[in-house]
Amino acid sequence: AQSVTQLGSHVSVSEGALVLLRCNYSSSVPPYLFWYVQYPNQGLQLLLKYTTGATLVKGINGFEAEFKKSETSFHLTKPSAHMSDAAEYFCAVTGGNAGNMLTFGGGTRLMVKP
Amino acid sequence: ETGVTQSPTHLIKTRGQQVTLRCSSQSGHNTVSWYQQALGQGPQFIFQYYREEENGRGNFPPRFSGLQFPNYSSELNVNALELDDSALYLCASSSQGAGGLYEQYFGPGTRLTVT
């Protein structure tokens, strides 16, 4: 069984400030981890993914995430927030051998203040 | 390359009715997964179809059913609609091989409102 917990349903930052969105997972098999972004009235867009290898993963739009097995975490960061980053962010996990079924967290809404 | 498309964009149904949602997978993809996203929540896996066969199912009742066609497009059918079925329904397509991880590409979703 797998689960994802995203701490903080809402996060507010000022433009130019550091973005940190938290994700902790539980998985009985080695996990594959994802971050997706969802803009209003749109589907999900993949930001980045961790499969194997390097634990620091770089994605699109300047985002990156670090897989920490000991902490079962996969937090998403961006050094400097932009107004266009305002959206809903979802962390997801799959074990890869369950048809790649994705288990999502509840999401974090990122608000960026001018 | 055409991405994942879904139809209709929005629809409103009455409790007890039946609904069919459609998904066209991305070119070259043979697998379609359906997810339900209730307002303010993360998506939940409904089921997946691979080469026209159901290939996994989440915790959803049998009144949620699906089909995949030879061209790999897919339908999600929901019978006896309940108010709690109101949600955004997302379709994701992927190219499943012999094993390992394959990336899922999501469509824009269908917003279903049940009154």
Side-chain angles (χ1 to χ4, degrees):
Chain A
Q2 298 169 318
S3 66
V4 175
T5 301
Q6 292 184 238
L7 292 175
S9 58
H10 293 79
V11 170
S12 181
V13 301
S14 297
E15 192 172 19
L18 171 72
V19 175
L20 171 61
L21 305 183
R22 300 179 185 273
C23 171
N24 287 88
Y25 70 90
S26 172
S27 178
S28 56
V29 297
Y32 298 132
L33 294 156
F34 305 80
W35 275 99
Y36 286 88
V37 62
Q38 186 176 38
Y39 297 100
N41 300 314
Q42 295 188 25
L44 301 176
Q45 180 183 8
L46 181 66
L47 279 177
L48 49 79
K49 62 184 177 186
Y50 168 78
T51 55
T52 58
T55 57
L56 182 62
V57 180
K58 295 186 183 299
I60 63 172
N61 301 338
F63 285 94
E64 61 182 37
E66 186 171 11
F67 171 61
K68 292 187 176 181
K69 184 178 179 180
S70 62
E71 298 177 9
T72 60
S73 69
F74 191 56
H75 301 330
L76 181 71
T77 61
K78 182 175 180 177
S80 177
H82 191 273
M83 295 297 291
S84 61
D85 294 327
E88 188 89 20
Y89 291 80
F90 294 95
C91 181
V93 65
T94 183
N97 60 351
N100 283 209
M101 175 192 81
L102 291 169
T103 299
F104 287 87
T108 297
R109 181 167 299 278
L110 176 66
M111 295 167 285
V112 182
K113 299 175 292 186
Chain B
E1 184 178 87
T2 305
V4 179
T5 60
Q6 293 185 242
S7 63
T9 305
H10 298 84
L11 76 165
I12 300 173
K13 290 286 189 178
T14 302
R15 189 171 52 185
Q17 287 186 315
Q18 178 266 345
V19 69
T20 298
L21 311 182
R22 295 178 175 82
C23 171
S24 292
S25 58
Q26 187 165 311
S27 177
H29 286 182
N30 57 16
T31 302
V32 172
S33 302
W34 286 91
Y35 293 82
Q36 181 196 64
Q37 184 179 15
L39 196 62
Q41 298 181 25
Q44 286 193 292
F45 175 73
I46 303 175
F47 45 56
Q48 181 184 89
Y49 279 82
Y50 170 60
R51 293 185 175 177
E52 303 179 56
E53 297 286 334
E54 188 176 289
N55 187 42
R57 190 179 183 91
N59 189 26
F60 280 80
R63 59 190 185 84
F64 285 77
S65 63
L67 284 173
Q68 188 179 33
F69 300 100
N71 66 354
Y72 302 127
S73 65
S74 177
E75 286 182 355
L76 164 66
N77 299 289
V78 187
N79 294 321
L81 283 167
E82 301 177 0
L83 296 179
D84 285 349
D85 295 334
S86 295
L88 181 68
Y89 288 84
L90 296 165
C91 166
S93 77
S94 53
S95 181
Q96 184 174 349
L101 180 68
Y102 44 92
E103 185 173 330
Q104 297 186 40
Y105 295 82
F106 283 83
T110 293
R111 173 76 61 188
L112 171 64
T113 301
V114 182
T115 63

